[in-house]
Amino acid sequence: MAPARYCVPGERLCSLEEGTPGSGTYTHHGFIFASLAGCFMKKSENGMLPVVSVMRDVDSQLLPDVGATVTCKVCSINSRFAKVHILYVGSTPLKSPFRGTIRREDIRATEKDKVEVYKSFRPGDIVLAKVISLGDVQSNYLLTTAENELGVVVAHSEADVRMVPISWCEMQCPSTHAKELRKVARVQPEFLQT
Amino acid sequence: MAGLELLSEQGFRLDGRRAGELRQLRARMGVFAQADGSAYLEQGNTKALAVVYGPHELRGSRGKAPHAQALVNCQYSMATFSTAERKRRPHGDRASAEMSLHLKQTFEAALLTRLFPRSQIDIYVQILQADGGNYCAAVNAATLALLDAGIPMRDYVCACSAGFLEDTALADLNYVEEAAGGPQLALALLPQAQHIALLELNARLHQDHLPRVLDAATQACRHLHALLDRVVREHLRDAAALLGK
């Protein structure tokens, strides 16, 4: 392999006719410039314009974006919303947690008026959610679980045993057989570890 | 100039430099593991340490935060032992508050803040030894720290000061030359695009002389860019070698 070419911010990589800008680059006056210090990469896919990007050895910080699926932990609940800490975006862990809110009306898609937060989440639950908004001045990230694939994935019972889901709204403790209410996610089979 | 001859007849300055010559630059990137990015930089006897955190969640009051871009938070401080007379407080006084604001303006011009809406980037710079050109050393150190942190930016930010004395423009002033009270110009430049990120002149200077002083500062920034570039490329090579690629 040829020795990697390093580039630094402000370095002109190529013109827009020769490639499309990828990560770590920006465009200005019809040219692609590097915005990071790292290795120059050019990947072409079947006749398309090659994607020009700059890669670093360590991935830089990722931020939750609108539409991204995030993994979060519930830290507190009240009758109107649940507060969560966002820990993962997709499958990449965040260096520092971001705070998010799941409002009552965003917990499920149907019968929104009958939703009760404490019947859906409990503090400590691990929840899959989707970002719907970056929030405004008062609030932080707004999340939703109003999809079958979104909701509680891991929850512990009062006996502190990890519960098994038995329906979309119930989970059961394997040791005491007590049932608890949750908004359970239907985890896609390809993500299940056996 | 009474007593002290800042520029000799032969055209040498007090520390033996020519008018357009820079002080020796030494720099290292990645000096701390805890921070996302860090750098240490010496310009002559001026020593600066910069660390960068972020982008992370907004802290403090959200009211001031811009909506569609990242908030750049800068803090400039001077170590109590950095000056000849021991300083009372390292930061929070008027001079360092102004310097923090200047740093913020400089880096808001250079960072691609729109990529990180509703987040915050912290830049902390400390001057360990002050020997003139504190702002410039702070900017140069912060640039290296930002590169180390991998925060996207349009270009390097290179800063250099210039002064004017006896009809000559002097580049990269040291403390004695600054204290002499002549005009002093601080320039922060995005060298490849030749964009000025910040320009500050803190004494009266005749308009006719301004282009020459500005030229001297621009030239010095270009030299600094070449030097910083070498540091960064060396760091990249070393990092790659450590990873065994």
Side-chain angles (χ1 to χ4, degrees):
Chain A
M1 206 179 107
R5 178 182 153 197
Y6 296 112
C7 34
V8 293
E11 194 172 320
R12 193 161 72 190
L13 301 173
C14 63
S15 85
L16 265 176
E17 283 121 45
E18 293 166 58
T20 45
S23 66
T25 62
Y26 68 96
T27 53
H28 189 63
H29 289 317
F31 286 95
I32 302 175
F33 291 85
S35 67
L36 293 175
C39 278
F40 174 76
M41 302 276 269
K42 205 170 180 177
K43 271 194 205 126
S44 52
E45 281 169 33
N46 46 42
M48 301 275 283
L49 273 178
V51 176
V52 175
S53 52
V54 179
M55 302 299 286
R56 278 165 52 82
D57 303 324
V58 225
D59 275 337
S60 43
Q61 176 75 284
L62 200 75
L63 293 183
D65 208 355
V66 173
T69 308
V70 294
T71 310
C72 34
K73 189 173 187 172
V74 180
C75 56
S76 72
I77 57 171
N78 63 28
S79 56
R80 284 172 294 124
F81 56 81
K83 281 188 177 174
V84 298
H85 280 165
I86 304 172
L87 306 173
Y88 283 80
V89 176
S91 53
T92 17
L94 292 171
K95 275 189 221 155
S96 57
F98 283 78
R99 278 171 298 187
T101 311
I102 306 175
R103 292 179 304 183
R104 194 172 68 137
E105 52 270 35
D106 295 324
I107 290 178
R108 65 181 199 217
T110 52
E111 293 185 286
K112 284 182 180 180
D113 46 339
K114 289 195 183 136
V115 182
E116 277 176 278
V117 177
Y118 69 93
K119 284 184 179 167
S120 310
F121 303 121
R122 287 293 162 93
D125 290 359
I126 303 292
V127 174
L128 268 179
K130 202 168 252 180
V131 181
I132 45 175
S133 147
L134 301 185
D136 51 24
V137 178
Q138 294 98 33
S139 65
N140 26 41
Y141 288 98
L142 283 182
L143 312 173
T144 177
T145 56
E147 271 175 49
N148 288 342
E149 289 74 30
L150 303 177
V152 178
V153 232
V154 179
H156 288 87
S157 67
E158 278 176 24
D160 209 21
V161 184
R162 191 175 153 179
M163 295 195 287
V164 254
I166 48 173
S167 78
W168 73 272
C169 61
E170 270 184 317
M171 284 179 126
Q172 193 173 31
C173 173
S175 65
T176 62
H177 300 291
K179 288 175 185 165
E180 288 187 26
L181 294 168
R182 292 289 196 281
K183 197 291 177 190
V184 182
R186 187 173 66 198
V187 181
Q188 296 304 89
E190 62 260 34
F191 296 121
L192 282 177
Q193 283 178 342
T194 44
Chain B
M1 242 356 105
L4 222 53
E5 193 185 38
L6 289 176
L7 192 67
S8 75
E9 279 172 25
Q10 288 76 30
F12 288 107
R13 288 149 74 175
L14 273 181
D15 47 12
R17 285 184 289 158
R18 294 250 178 219
E21 211 174 322
L22 297 177
R23 291 176 285 176
Q24 190 189 30
L25 182 115
R26 269 189 297 229
R28 261 174 62 199
M29 291 168 71
V31 286
F32 295 125
Q34 295 97 323
D36 292 321
S38 57
Y40 169 75
L41 179 126
E42 289 178 17
Q43 260 178 289
N45 285 330
T46 303
K47 296 172 185 170
L49 200 53
V51 289
V52 169
Y53 293 91
H56 57 69
E57 188 172 37
L58 280 171
R59 302 219 175 101
S61 72
R62 292 163 169 275
K64 283 182 290 180
H67 191 74
Q69 59 192 53
L71 172 76
V72 182
N73 172 37
C74 293
Q75 193 181 75
Y76 170 90
S77 59
M78 288 176 84
T80 48
F81 50 81
S82 63
T83 45
E85 205 167 302
R86 191 177 163 82
K87 279 180 80 77
R88 279 273 174 71
R89 41 199 301 203
H91 57 84
D93 56 335
R94 194 182 266 272
S96 50
E98 187 192 2
M99 200 69 102
S100 302
L101 205 64
H102 282 165
L103 285 175
K104 181 182 154 93
Q105 286 172 357
T106 309
F107 286 104
E108 272 177 350
L111 292 172
L112 298 168
T113 48
R114 296 199 173 273
L115 295 177
F116 307 108
R118 304 204 58 75
S119 66
Q120 178 177 342
I121 298 167
D122 290 321
I123 304 173
Y124 300 104
V125 188
Q126 183 162 43
I127 299 290
L128 300 179
Q129 187 172 324
D131 187 36
N134 295 348
Y135 166 75
C136 310
V139 168
N140 296 330
T143 300
L144 292 181
L146 285 164
L147 282 172
D148 186 39
I151 293 173
M153 52 205 291
R154 287 189 182 87
D155 200 345
Y156 284 81
V157 195
C158 299
C160 197
S161 59
F164 192 73
L165 189 83
E166 294 171 22
D167 212 34
T168 338
L170 305 179
D172 198 10
L173 302 183
N174 65 22
Y175 180 73
V176 184
E177 290 163 338
E178 269 185 7
Q184 189 200 339
L185 179 111
L187 170 72
L189 193 72
L190 307 182
Q192 266 152 97
Q194 294 266 4
H195 286 167
I196 292 176
L198 188 120
L199 181 68
E200 192 199 14
L201 180 64
N202 66 1
R204 280 163 65 106
L205 177 73
H206 196 279
Q207 191 184 333
D208 293 350
H209 299 316
L210 182 65
R212 281 169 59 201
V213 182
L214 198 55
D215 263 0
T218 312
Q219 206 51 251
C221 285
R222 292 258 198 87
H223 286 308
L224 265 171
H225 174 237
L227 291 168
L228 293 181
D229 196 62
R230 197 185 303 160
V231 172
V232 173
R233 281 177 196 276
E234 236 162 61
H235 178 77
L236 282 175
R237 251 199 309 280
D238 289 352
L242 274 176
L243 287 170
K245 279 184 190 166

